[in-house]
Amino acid sequence: LPRGRPARKSPAAAATPQRPSAFAPLMPRVVDDLMAQLGASGAKRFMHRARTEADSVLQDIRRDGITADTGRMIHAATGAAGLTGLKRVERGLRTLETALADPSLDLSALLSELEFAVGEATQLIETIDNE
């Protein structure tokens, strides 16, 4: 690094809300690839779109319950989260998608976990440097 220029913080290493989890919130390699391809602002926009898609799934389920379209919406949001490095959001969506196969399950805990992941992603995306 040139003298006088502070080292860039990796988004995955940025401070996150305190919550125990076995899963890191971001996939640094994917985030770095996005930043290299799109620049920081483009990567942030792409990541925000994926986060918004996951949040839409969450809000739709809370508002309408499980519908005939829920599985497709979760699947699409899962792909978007994976492509943008939103690892914890992706994991939350995959877990929710798997749980849909058992209609007797109470999904409230899974929805709360997904809500946490989406909120965390919102904060982390904002820590990515604009260059």
Side-chain angles (χ1 to χ4, degrees):
L1 291 174
R3 275 192 198 277
R5 183 173 177 189
R8 222 175 71 189
K9 257 188 180 177
S10 168
T16 62
Q18 295 301 309
R19 175 126 177 189
S21 176
F23 304 103
L26 297 177
M27 291 181 275
R29 203 175 303 161
V30 174
V31 174
D32 289 345
D33 286 348
L34 281 177
M35 289 178 62
Q37 292 175 27
L38 306 173
S41 63
K44 287 170 72 168
R45 279 193 308 275
F46 196 37
M47 293 171 78
H48 273 302
R49 279 197 324 225
R51 179 206 44 83
T52 298
E53 190 170 350
D55 189 51
S56 292
V57 168
L58 176 65
Q59 299 311 316
D60 286 353
I61 292 172
R62 288 210 163 134
R63 184 186 60 245
D64 303 328
I66 304 303
T67 68
D69 208 27
T70 301
R72 182 200 58 79
M73 291 174 13
I74 292 173
H75 187 75
T78 301
L83 289 172
T84 56
L86 302 178
K87 186 175 184 177
R88 194 169 287 153
V89 171
E90 178 187 14
R91 180 68 177 179
L93 288 162
R94 285 190 190 287
T95 303
L96 185 59
E97 185 176 27
T98 301
L100 291 180
D102 186 351
S104 69
L105 286 178
D106 178 10
L107 301 179
S108 59
L110 297 177
L111 293 174
S112 292
E113 287 295 320
L114 180 57
E115 182 175 34
F116 174 82
V118 168
E120 177 184 54
T122 302
Q123 292 175 1
L124 289 173
I125 292 166
E126 289 309 312
T127 67
I128 295 172
D129 295 333
N130 282 316
E131 294 183 355

